Amino acid sequence: MARNYFELFELPARFNIDLKELAARHRERIRVWHPDRYAQGSSEERRRAVAVSADLNDGLKVLRDPVSRARHLLALRGISTDEDTDTSMDAGFLMEQMAWRERLEEGVARPEEVAALIALVAQSRDAKESELARLLDSGQTTDLDRARELVRELQFLERFTRELDCAVTEAL
Amino acid sequence: MALLQISEPGQSPDPHTRKFVAGIDLGTTNSLIATVREREVVVLPDGAGDVLLPSVVRFEANGRVTVGRAAQQAEIEDPLNTIASVKRLMGRGRTDVGDCPYRLAGGAEGMVRIETAAGAKTPVEVSAQILAALKARLEETLGGPLSAAVITVPAYFDEAQRQATKDAARLAGIEVLRLLNEPTAAAVAYGLDRNPEGLYCVYDLGGGTFDVSLLRLSEGVFEVLATGGDAALGGDDMDAAIVTLWTARGAQARTPEESRRLLRAARAARERLSLETEVAVDVAPIYTGALSRTDLEAAIDPLIDRTLVACGRVLKDAGVRIADIGEIVLVGGATRTPRVRERVGGLFRKTPLHDIDPDRVVAVGAARQADLLAGNAGAADMLLLDVIPLSLGIEIMGGLTEKIIPRNSPIPASRAQDFTTYKDGQGALAIHVVQGERDLVAECRSLARFELRGIPPMVAGAARIRVTFQVDADGLLNVSAQETKAGVESHVTVRPSFGLSDAEIERMLRDSMASAEADAAARTLREQQVEADRMIEAVGAALAADEDLLAPGERDTIAARIAALKEARGGEDPQRIREQIAALDRASAPFAARRMDVGLERAMKGRSVTEFR
């Protein structure tokens, strides 16, 4: 069974969470569990402090990012997103990706074109995240396949966003 | 939880059983020890009143070892047995070290050794002598044993260098409470002193290392947001740059002794130029002349440029704008140089803080942290949350690095990643752990290799091997691997393998932006090769599977293209490989179209995303 990071922070297992609350709970817990608090402790205590603190830091990282949070929620419901092994994607999505990549290749030297693409991708990400929130927080388990697909697509968009960031940096 | 030691009212702890904890700044040029007494930090001086212990150790043939100023005085007469700046050799292999004023020994593996009149010494042993001298200073001054210490290391120290520092402490008989990053220690010293909440940027230019860290202080928590730097850049390089200038003006050092004299004169001139605008230089008969501030600035500006680039990258990593930064803290003797202050101030548009002595500030912060970790009553209630400076990863197919824990992840950190087997019945899996930011394994620092054996026979891809990386609060790594279906476990404590030259490390540590171009070229070649292999295999498999769909003569045309691609793949030109891939693609397109007609639906659905790249 996958580690449940929502339990770790005593937060409801939902896609829409309060990030400030998450940060506050992480801090509250790390204050108690950090290895510095156990510098005089037994080796077992120190080992445990390292393990729990690492877990808290890892949990914060997983829950802070919307895509990894959604992936975690799906894993908790027994659905793996298999990004590494399963490369099949919706044909329409792939066509759109291909078109965007072509636009980037052709427009890489023009900042306004890159900016337009960034806006477009951000819009697409927002829409997908809203849809994910609806699917994951509805309390029903009907369309988790769609949620899985959205996570996989968002992963793509994340990578593309990084490439766009690089294009912006290079242009400077 | 640490227990607070509370004395009964009216009774103080017995001075003879009292144990002391300390903060130690083990520096490239100088080292210091500090401790908290009556809630105040005291930096302990030697008998002559000096708090700075020069990090110089002399080994004589009769076995006598001298440390500090006495050793420094022998530097000129006995240059090969008097070791300075040993910190630069910590955690390094023989092949890592380029120009060095000592006789070095050591093979391809293991840490470099320095040949002295008293035999070969590792940098760990040399450092241990410095630590032992500081320990003795504390015990003589306070009249009790030193029980444990916080020892500072540059934030940018890698695994091998951290481990070497810890080993040196063990050799000197000091229990390490924590390895603390130097800029973090400096921020603690300033933060606890004044307590303004907000963002701190610590610029730490020491004798041999440069670090920059960005921290946020709020509600008693110091959180490092990002760190960066260069583990081989410091005041020593400024001195070398001055010597290069003098050499261009006719200076000529013929012996190690003479080089040493020139370097010392350069350092002295640089230090005097902090107050004067021009100094006379007399290192007769090697060189006589003058050095002006303008000369100095021209010589060191390229080095300062490198530090400023690193500052920019740290800001970017943390997603922080220059205007958000509350305080700039200067640390390290080299920040006394007015040009450094001027340029750092220029970048951040703010006057940097340097009112805590830049030589002492790290030791002061370390002493505070030691006091806290020892659970002493009245210690400040604060918590330090630090990060790992360099990404940790493993080698994947094609000699590429897969990052497991990215740089600037908070520590302690752990991350599990699943891997699978590549062949049917594969019984073992080799894991190569590397550290660095580059895409190619060959350009990262090799940390360790280990094998997971005894994987039960399964078809390729069926095994689930979970590799767990754990980084502790000292920034040290532990790796374990487990096959989750059969429960085979393999453990490894990372013992570094020192594979890189100094130049390579410098390159690795330098701004990855600066090296992105070369990286991209190598990566492109690798990608094209992988793509070529994939293509050759795919077309070969198609030929074997659907022979009946081939048109007359088509097999020969395709076979010729495959041969041409194989030939190009063996070369170094990604463009040629790309062209041959395209040629094979064109030659096999009609055949592929026929195959697709046969199985269109399946082919569309299963179409791999990589084809769209």
Side-chain angles (χ1 to χ4, degrees):
Chain A
M1 189 58 212
R3 180 89 187 76
N4 188 335
Y5 287 127
F6 292 99
E7 278 175 7
L8 185 64
F9 295 110
E10 290 172 88
L11 285 167
R14 294 171 57 84
F15 181 75
N16 274 327
I17 56 169
D18 181 347
L19 291 176
K20 277 201 175 131
E21 186 61 30
L22 172 67
R25 290 183 184 213
H26 171 266
R27 174 156 297 194
E28 185 183 285
R29 284 161 176 73
I30 202 90
R31 259 184 202 278
V32 176
W33 281 103
H34 194 279
D36 282 2
R37 304 294 193 204
Y38 297 87
Q40 305 295 308
S42 69
S43 60
E44 181 54 36
E45 279 176 326
R46 283 186 286 181
R47 227 185 344 261
R48 212 163 151 238
V50 171
V52 175
S53 299
D55 208 30
L56 287 167
N57 286 333
D58 202 27
L60 177 65
K61 197 175 153 182
V62 166
L63 297 191
R64 200 162 40 188
D65 174 65
V67 180
S68 61
R69 183 164 67 240
R71 193 182 294 121
H72 186 56
L73 276 167
L74 286 173
L76 292 176
R77 300 181 196 181
I79 294 169
S80 163
T81 45
D82 300 317
E83 279 99 339
D84 294 336
T85 48
D86 177 3
T87 51
S88 67
M89 299 289 283
D90 174 71
F93 176 77
L94 288 178
M95 295 303 281
E96 183 185 54
Q97 283 292 294
M98 214 163 49
W100 286 354
R101 276 171 196 280
E102 267 167 30
R103 266 183 80 177
L104 175 61
E105 266 170 45
E106 284 160 15
V108 73
R110 282 173 294 146
E112 71 285 354
E113 179 69 5
V114 177
L117 263 175
I118 288 176
L120 203 59
V121 174
Q123 205 180 8
S124 171
R125 286 176 72 162
D126 285 350
K128 288 182 197 299
E129 282 177 22
S130 306
E131 197 186 342
L132 256 182
R134 273 200 309 278
L135 291 169
L136 290 171
D137 294 351
S138 69
Q140 291 163 3
T141 54
T142 44
D143 206 3
L144 291 181
D145 279 351
R146 174 64 186 149
R148 175 177 184 270
E149 192 173 53
L150 284 167
V151 168
R152 293 157 55 82
E153 291 177 1
L154 279 165
Q155 172 86 22
F156 258 76
L157 294 183
E158 212 167 63
R159 201 178 311 149
F160 189 51
T161 306
R162 274 202 298 274
E163 282 170 41
L164 286 168
D165 281 347
C166 284
V168 171
T169 316
E170 275 163 32
L172 288 178
Chain B
M1 185 69 96
L3 292 174
L4 302 180
Q5 297 179 325
I6 300 170
S7 312
E8 300 253 337
Q11 281 185 350
S12 61
D14 180 352
H16 297 291
T17 58
R18 183 153 173 213
K19 286 180 174 178
F20 298 99
V21 294
I24 295 177
D25 174 2
L26 182 61
T28 307
T29 316
N30 294 298
S31 297
L32 302 88
I33 187 164
T35 189
V36 174
R37 309 208 67 190
E38 321 274 327
R39 300 189 184 188
E40 291 295 319
V41 177
V42 192
V43 185
L44 300 174
D46 65 9
D50 278 333
V51 297
L52 298 183
L53 176 73
S55 302
V56 183
V57 183
R58 181 188 185 195
F59 295 94
E60 291 174 70
N62 60 11
R64 208 165 85 105
V65 178
T66 31
V67 181
R69 214 155 297 280
Q72 202 174 32
Q73 275 153 12
E75 232 180 336
I76 304 286
E77 63 177 86
D78 190 16
L80 292 175
N81 300 311
T82 309
I83 317 302
S85 296
V86 72
K87 192 172 177 178
R88 294 190 145 209
L89 303 178
M90 290 289 269
R92 293 286 169 253
R94 174 66 188 93
T95 50
D96 295 335
V97 184
D99 270 356
C100 176
Y102 315 111
R103 287 167 303 185
L104 297 181
E109 284 196 13
M111 204 178 296
V112 66
R113 283 174 166 69
I114 305 156
E115 298 283 4
T116 72
K121 302 287 174 193
T122 63
V124 169
E125 292 167 283
V126 180
S127 298
Q129 293 290 347
I130 300 168
L131 289 172
L134 291 170
K135 180 175 191 262
R137 180 188 288 186
L138 178 135
E139 290 174 350
E140 280 159 27
T141 312
L142 303 183
L146 173 67
S147 68
V150 167
I151 300 180
T152 60
V153 290
Y156 231 45
F157 252 21
D158 67 21
E159 173 80 19
Q161 294 167 308
R162 284 171 197 267
Q163 190 60 54
T165 305
K166 229 178 163 176
D167 291 345
R170 193 181 326 140
L171 264 183
I174 299 171
E175 187 204 326
V176 179
L177 276 170
R178 178 76 72 242
L179 294 179
L180 180 62
N181 290 331
E182 286 161 11
T184 310
V188 167
Y190 271 97
L192 290 182
D193 205 37
R194 310 150 167 247
N195 270 311
E197 304 215 324
L199 288 174
Y200 287 69
C201 181
V202 182
Y203 178 101
D204 180 356
L205 190 60
T209 55
F210 169 67
D211 273 334
V212 53
S213 287
L214 201 64
L215 297 98
R216 182 169 51 210
L217 171 58
S218 79
E219 296 164 21
V221 177
F222 277 93
E223 191 181 358
V224 180
L225 302 179
T227 191
D230 192 325
L233 174 64
D236 290 357
D237 299 282
M238 293 187 176
D239 299 338
I242 295 168
V243 170
T244 305
L245 177 79
W246 288 344
T247 307
R249 290 178 179 175
Q252 220 180 344
R254 288 172 199 82
T255 63
E257 253 179 87
E258 291 190 350
S259 310
R260 202 63 92 81
R261 283 186 60 195
L262 268 183
L263 281 171
R264 272 171 73 138
R267 188 195 296 174
R270 174 165 65 87
E271 285 170 5
R272 273 156 56 209
L273 282 175
S274 297
L275 301 168
E276 297 161 45
T277 52
E278 177 153 333
V279 293
V281 182
D282 182 5
V283 206
I286 322 164
Y287 180 66
T288 324
L291 189 73
S292 70
R293 247 195 211 185
T294 320
D295 289 339
L296 174 71
E297 290 172 4
I300 66 177
D301 264 353
L303 298 170
I304 302 176
D305 287 341
R306 280 165 61 189
T307 67
L308 299 185
V309 167
C311 290
R313 192 180 69 168
V314 163
L315 290 174
K316 188 168 175 259
D317 279 353
V320 163
R321 290 168 309 161
I322 279 177
D324 299 334
I325 293 175
E327 306 278 8
I328 319 294
V329 174
L330 292 184
V331 186
T335 61
R336 286 214 171 81
T337 307
R339 183 65 171 172
V340 172
R341 292 184 182 180
E342 182 188 319
R343 298 210 47 209
V344 173
L347 175 71
F348 291 100
R349 293 172 224 129
K350 193 164 272 163
T351 309
L353 296 175
H354 48 76
D355 45 333
I356 303 184
D357 182 345
D359 283 326
R360 301 188 192 201
V361 63
V362 168
V364 168
R368 287 279 184 209
Q369 177 71 355
D371 191 42
L372 178 77
L373 293 181
N376 284 340
D381 179 29
M382 58 137 187
L383 181 64
L384 285 185
L385 302 177
D386 222 321
V387 298
I388 64 164
L390 297 161
S391 300
L392 289 166
I394 53 166
E395 177 171 352
I396 55 166
M397 302 278 284
L400 297 175
T401 313
E402 163 105 351
K403 284 176 186 164
I404 301 280
I405 302 181
R407 71 160 187 265
N408 292 326
S409 294
I411 51 174
S414 78
R415 191 52 211 291
Q417 185 120 343
D418 287 344
F419 296 91
T420 189
T421 45
Y422 170 67
K423 284 189 205 147
D424 288 347
Q426 186 177 337
L429 188 88
I431 292 169
H432 182 202
V433 188
V434 298
Q435 187 165 34
E437 307 314 315
R438 306 293 295 270
D439 289 335
L440 296 181
V441 163
E443 293 172 349
C444 289
R445 188 160 177 83
S446 168
L447 289 185
R449 291 172 188 274
F450 69 102
E451 273 193 0
L452 181 74
R453 293 175 177 283
I455 301 171
M458 280 184 250
V459 294
R464 278 285 167 277
I465 294 121
R466 171 154 291 195
V467 178
T468 307
F469 288 64
Q470 188 181 68
V471 180
D472 68 15
D474 290 327
L476 292 171
L477 173 69
N478 212 299
V479 186
S480 61
Q482 192 176 29
E483 202 296 301
T484 48
K485 287 198 176 153
V488 181
E489 190 146 352
S490 172
H491 252 281
V492 63
T493 305
V494 174
R495 274 282 162 187
S497 36
F498 324 115
L500 294 180
S501 75
D502 242 2
E504 282 173 299
I505 287 165
E506 217 174 295
R507 215 167 60 216
M508 175 180 85
L509 298 182
R510 224 181 282 149
D511 189 331
S512 40
M513 298 304 287
S515 52
E517 223 165 280
D519 239 7
R523 183 142 205 160
T524 307
L525 175 63
R526 217 50 82 98
E527 279 171 0
Q528 290 303 322
Q529 288 173 337
V530 169
E531 185 60 19
D533 292 345
R534 207 186 58 74
M535 186 85 185
I536 292 165
E537 206 190 294
V539 176
L543 286 175
D546 291 318
E547 206 173 350
D548 51 319
L549 294 178
L550 283 165
E554 196 169 35
R555 174 183 285 279
D556 291 346
T557 320
I558 294 174
R561 285 287 154 220
I562 290 178
L565 175 57
K566 277 185 178 162
E567 204 260 313
R569 189 238 174 271
E572 301 256 291
D573 182 356
Q575 187 53 37
R576 238 191 98 219
I577 303 175
R578 193 178 291 127
E579 284 163 14
Q580 290 301 329
I581 290 172
L584 173 57
D585 201 22
R586 276 194 304 276
S588 59
F591 171 53
R594 284 192 294 278
R595 296 189 71 223
M596 278 176 81
D597 285 341
V598 172
L600 179 69
E601 203 184 343
R602 195 196 63 205
M604 279 308 292
K605 215 176 168 185
R607 199 163 180 190
S608 159
V609 254
T610 51
E611 290 173 47
F612 289 96
R613 287 250 173 86

PDB file of all heavy atoms in Angstrom, chain B residues 72-87:
ATOM      1  N   GLN B  72      53.562  27.669   9.844  1.00  0.00           N
ATOM      2  CA  GLN B  72      53.527  28.656   8.762  1.00  0.00           C
ATOM      3  C   GLN B  72      54.897  29.304   8.570  1.00  0.00           C
ATOM      4  O   GLN B  72      55.301  29.581   7.446  1.00  0.00           O
ATOM      5  CB  GLN B  72      52.489  29.724   9.111  1.00  0.00           C
ATOM      6  CG  GLN B  72      51.971  30.495   7.936  1.00  0.00           C
ATOM      7  CD  GLN B  72      50.835  31.422   8.348  1.00  0.00           C
ATOM      8  OE1 GLN B  72      50.810  31.930   9.477  1.00  0.00           O
ATOM      9  NE2 GLN B  72      49.902  31.637   7.452  1.00  0.00           N
ATOM     10  N   GLN B  73      55.610  29.505   9.712  1.00  0.00           N
ATOM     11  CA  GLN B  73      56.917  30.142   9.610  1.00  0.00           C
ATOM     12  C   GLN B  73      57.924  29.247   8.904  1.00  0.00           C
ATOM     13  O   GLN B  73      58.922  29.722   8.378  1.00  0.00           O
ATOM     14  CB  GLN B  73      57.414  30.538  11.009  1.00  0.00           C
ATOM     15  CG  GLN B  73      56.849  31.892  11.416  1.00  0.00           C
ATOM     16  CD  GLN B  73      56.726  32.068  12.910  1.00  0.00           C
ATOM     17  OE1 GLN B  73      57.266  31.265  13.682  1.00  0.00           O
ATOM     18  NE2 GLN B  73      56.008  33.097  13.332  1.00  0.00           N
ATOM     19  N   ALA B  74      57.660  27.933   8.896  1.00  0.00           N
ATOM     20  CA  ALA B  74      58.581  27.005   8.237  1.00  0.00           C
ATOM     21  C   ALA B  74      58.246  26.792   6.765  1.00  0.00           C
ATOM     22  O   ALA B  74      58.936  26.067   6.058  1.00  0.00           O
ATOM     23  CB  ALA B  74      58.561  25.665   8.968  1.00  0.00           C
ATOM     24  N   GLU B  75      57.167  27.441   6.333  1.00  0.00           N
ATOM     25  CA  GLU B  75      56.653  27.220   4.979  1.00  0.00           C
ATOM     26  C   GLU B  75      57.705  27.450   3.898  1.00  0.00           C
ATOM     27  O   GLU B  75      57.795  26.694   2.941  1.00  0.00           O
ATOM     28  CB  GLU B  75      55.483  28.181   4.731  1.00  0.00           C
ATOM     29  CG  GLU B  75      54.242  27.516   4.238  1.00  0.00           C
ATOM     30  CD  GLU B  75      53.124  28.529   4.004  1.00  0.00           C
ATOM     31  OE1 GLU B  75      53.121  29.618   4.598  1.00  0.00           O
ATOM     32  OE2 GLU B  75      52.258  28.204   3.192  1.00  0.00           O
ATOM     33  N   ILE B  76      58.491  28.509   4.063  1.00  0.00           N
ATOM     34  CA  ILE B  76      59.459  28.861   3.026  1.00  0.00           C
ATOM     35  C   ILE B  76      60.660  27.909   3.050  1.00  0.00           C
ATOM     36  O   ILE B  76      61.067  27.394   2.015  1.00  0.00           O
ATOM     37  CB  ILE B  76      59.945  30.330   3.205  1.00  0.00           C
ATOM     38  CG1 ILE B  76      58.745  31.286   3.203  1.00  0.00           C
ATOM     39  CG2 ILE B  76      60.975  30.691   2.141  1.00  0.00           C
ATOM     40  CD1 ILE B  76      58.109  31.513   1.865  1.00  0.00           C
ATOM     41  N   GLU B  77      61.174  27.643   4.261  1.00  0.00           N
ATOM     42  CA  GLU B  77      62.371  26.791   4.345  1.00  0.00           C
ATOM     43  C   GLU B  77      62.068  25.322   4.070  1.00  0.00           C
ATOM     44  O   GLU B  77      62.915  24.591   3.587  1.00  0.00           O
ATOM     45  CB  GLU B  77      63.036  26.942   5.728  1.00  0.00           C
ATOM     46  CG  GLU B  77      62.119  26.463   6.844  1.00  0.00           C
ATOM     47  CD  GLU B  77      62.765  26.522   8.233  1.00  0.00           C
ATOM     48  OE1 GLU B  77      62.692  27.600   8.864  1.00  0.00           O
ATOM     49  OE2 GLU B  77      63.308  25.497   8.656  1.00  0.00           O
ATOM     50  N   ASP B  78      60.832  24.887   4.373  1.00  0.00           N
ATOM     51  CA  ASP B  78      60.511  23.458   4.243  1.00  0.00           C
ATOM     52  C   ASP B  78      59.177  23.277   3.506  1.00  0.00           C
ATOM     53  O   ASP B  78      58.212  22.743   4.054  1.00  0.00           O
ATOM     54  CB  ASP B  78      60.447  22.862   5.664  1.00  0.00           C
ATOM     55  CG  ASP B  78      60.370  21.340   5.638  1.00  0.00           C
ATOM     56  OD1 ASP B  78      60.668  20.743   4.576  1.00  0.00           O
ATOM     57  OD2 ASP B  78      60.000  20.757   6.671  1.00  0.00           O
ATOM     58  N   PRO B  79      59.118  23.739   2.246  1.00  0.00           N
ATOM     59  CA  PRO B  79      57.805  23.829   1.574  1.00  0.00           C
ATOM     60  C   PRO B  79      57.131  22.480   1.323  1.00  0.00           C
ATOM     61  O   PRO B  79      55.911  22.403   1.317  1.00  0.00           O
ATOM     62  CB  PRO B  79      58.123  24.521   0.248  1.00  0.00           C
ATOM     63  CG  PRO B  79      59.575  24.293   0.025  1.00  0.00           C
ATOM     64  CD  PRO B  79      60.206  24.221   1.382  1.00  0.00           C
ATOM     65  N   LEU B  80      57.914  21.414   1.129  1.00  0.00           N
ATOM     66  CA  LEU B  80      57.292  20.144   0.757  1.00  0.00           C
ATOM     67  C   LEU B  80      56.687  19.410   1.951  1.00  0.00           C
ATOM     68  O   LEU B  80      55.801  18.570   1.784  1.00  0.00           O
ATOM     69  CB  LEU B  80      58.302  19.244   0.043  1.00  0.00           C
ATOM     70  CG  LEU B  80      58.727  19.753  -1.347  1.00  0.00           C
ATOM     71  CD1 LEU B  80      59.814  18.886  -1.929  1.00  0.00           C
ATOM     72  CD2 LEU B  80      57.525  19.826  -2.292  1.00  0.00           C
ATOM     73  N   ASN B  81      57.173  19.731   3.149  1.00  0.00           N
ATOM     74  CA  ASN B  81      56.662  19.044   4.344  1.00  0.00           C
ATOM     75  C   ASN B  81      55.718  19.911   5.157  1.00  0.00           C
ATOM     76  O   ASN B  81      55.264  19.510   6.221  1.00  0.00           O
ATOM     77  CB  ASN B  81      57.831  18.594   5.219  1.00  0.00           C
ATOM     78  CG  ASN B  81      58.742  17.638   4.480  1.00  0.00           C
ATOM     79  OD1 ASN B  81      58.266  16.675   3.877  1.00  0.00           O
ATOM     80  ND2 ASN B  81      60.032  17.924   4.474  1.00  0.00           N
ATOM     81  N   THR B  82      55.469  21.123   4.647  1.00  0.00           N
ATOM     82  CA  THR B  82      54.598  22.050   5.358  1.00  0.00           C
ATOM     83  C   THR B  82      53.340  22.230   4.514  1.00  0.00           C
ATOM     84  O   THR B  82      53.381  22.832   3.447  1.00  0.00           O
ATOM     85  CB  THR B  82      55.319  23.394   5.573  1.00  0.00           C
ATOM     86  OG1 THR B  82      56.588  23.120   6.161  1.00  0.00           O
ATOM     87  CG2 THR B  82      54.523  24.301   6.479  1.00  0.00           C
ATOM     88  N   ILE B  83      52.241  21.670   5.011  1.00  0.00           N
ATOM     89  CA  ILE B  83      51.040  21.572   4.196  1.00  0.00           C
ATOM     90  C   ILE B  83      50.058  22.687   4.550  1.00  0.00           C
ATOM     91  O   ILE B  83      49.615  22.792   5.696  1.00  0.00           O
ATOM     92  CB  ILE B  83      50.334  20.202   4.402  1.00  0.00           C
ATOM     93  CG1 ILE B  83      51.354  19.046   4.435  1.00  0.00           C
ATOM     94  CG2 ILE B  83      49.263  19.971   3.346  1.00  0.00           C
ATOM     95  CD1 ILE B  83      52.209  18.924   3.202  1.00  0.00           C
ATOM     96  N   ALA B  84      49.741  23.507   3.552  1.00  0.00           N
ATOM     97  CA  ALA B  84      48.744  24.567   3.722  1.00  0.00           C
ATOM     98  C   ALA B  84      47.556  24.275   2.809  1.00  0.00           C
ATOM     99  O   ALA B  84      47.667  23.492   1.875  1.00  0.00           O
ATOM    100  CB  ALA B  84      49.354  25.927   3.381  1.00  0.00           C
ATOM    101  N   SER B  85      46.420  24.907   3.089  1.00  0.00           N
ATOM    102  CA  SER B  85      45.210  24.773   2.249  1.00  0.00           C
ATOM    103  C   SER B  85      44.838  23.311   1.965  1.00  0.00           C
ATOM    104  O   SER B  85      44.417  22.974   0.868  1.00  0.00           O
ATOM    105  CB  SER B  85      45.381  25.511   0.911  1.00  0.00           C
ATOM    106  OG  SER B  85      45.528  26.889   1.130  1.00  0.00           O
ATOM    107  N   VAL B  86      45.002  22.452   2.956  1.00  0.00           N
ATOM    108  CA  VAL B  86      44.731  21.024   2.745  1.00  0.00           C
ATOM    109  C   VAL B  86      43.247  20.768   2.477  1.00  0.00           C
ATOM    110  O   VAL B  86      42.866  19.753   1.897  1.00  0.00           O
ATOM    111  CB  VAL B  86      45.233  20.195   3.945  1.00  0.00           C
ATOM    112  CG1 VAL B  86      44.339  20.402   5.162  1.00  0.00           C
ATOM    113  CG2 VAL B  86      45.308  18.720   3.587  1.00  0.00           C
ATOM    114  N   LYS B  87      42.425  21.735   2.890  1.00  0.00           N
ATOM    115  CA  LYS B  87      40.988  21.576   2.686  1.00  0.00           C
ATOM    116  C   LYS B  87      40.659  21.348   1.209  1.00  0.00           C
ATOM    117  O   LYS B  87      39.683  20.680   0.870  1.00  0.00           O
ATOM    118  CB  LYS B  87      40.272  22.827   3.200  1.00  0.00           C
ATOM    119  CG  LYS B  87      38.769  22.717   3.319  1.00  0.00           C
ATOM    120  CD  LYS B  87      38.238  23.960   4.025  1.00  0.00           C
ATOM    121  CE  LYS B  87      36.734  23.976   4.124  1.00  0.00           C
ATOM    122  NZ  LYS B  87      36.271  25.172   4.865  1.00  0.00           N
TER     123      LYS B  87
END
